[in-house]
Amino acid sequence: MAYRESFYRFLMTQRDPDSTDEVAQFANDAQHDQTFPKQEQDYEKLSDYLELNAGYLSSMTIFDRAYEMYREKMSY
């Protein structure tokens, strides 16, 4: 089975403290979240975690957009 990068690892490639992009801001904030499920790849598990624990995420549509970017990258 091929190695598949975790969502968190992908998200960290989107960080940019100078950007106003919502995904970049999500990545910047997630970097400081000590309990973020760093090895997780599953959409539902990540979504559940963020809905309950990520006060820094203003809208779940930002996560949806980031996860779609992740899926596209993993499909190569």
Side-chain angles (χ1 to χ4, degrees), residues 1-2 4 6 8 12 15 23 36 55 58 61 64 67 72:
M1 186 167 134
R4 187 167 170 204
S6 73
Y8 180 82
M12 292 301 100
R15 290 176 298 161
V23 172
F36 196 100
S58 61
T61 58
D64 291 340
Y67 196 84
E72 287 175 14

Side-chain angles (χ1 to χ4, degrees), residues 2-76:
Y3 169 75
R4 187 167 170 204
E5 180 178 58
S6 73
F7 174 75
Y8 180 82
R9 189 168 179 142
F10 163 77
L11 188 61
M12 292 301 100
T13 68
Q14 304 302 306
R15 290 176 298 161
D16 182 351
D18 299 322
S19 176
T20 58
D21 179 75
E22 292 175 319
V23 172
Q25 289 303 309
F26 171 32
N28 295 339
D29 292 335
Q31 177 183 18
H32 302 291
D33 182 348
Q34 297 298 311
T35 60
F36 196 100
K38 293 178 174 63
Q39 302 305 315
E40 193 57 63
Q41 300 172 0
D42 181 72
Y43 174 87
E44 293 301 325
K45 290 178 183 174
L46 288 160
S47 180
D48 289 347
Y49 171 81
L50 291 168
E51 286 178 5
L52 296 172
N53 301 292
Y56 54 83
L57 189 59
S58 61
S59 169
M60 287 302 289
T61 58
I62 299 166
F63 165 65
D64 291 340
R65 189 171 131 224
Y67 196 84
E68 186 57 34
M69 292 165 61
Y70 167 68
R71 283 188 39 176
E72 287 175 14
K73 183 177 182 204
M74 292 302 105
S75 69
Y76 290 117

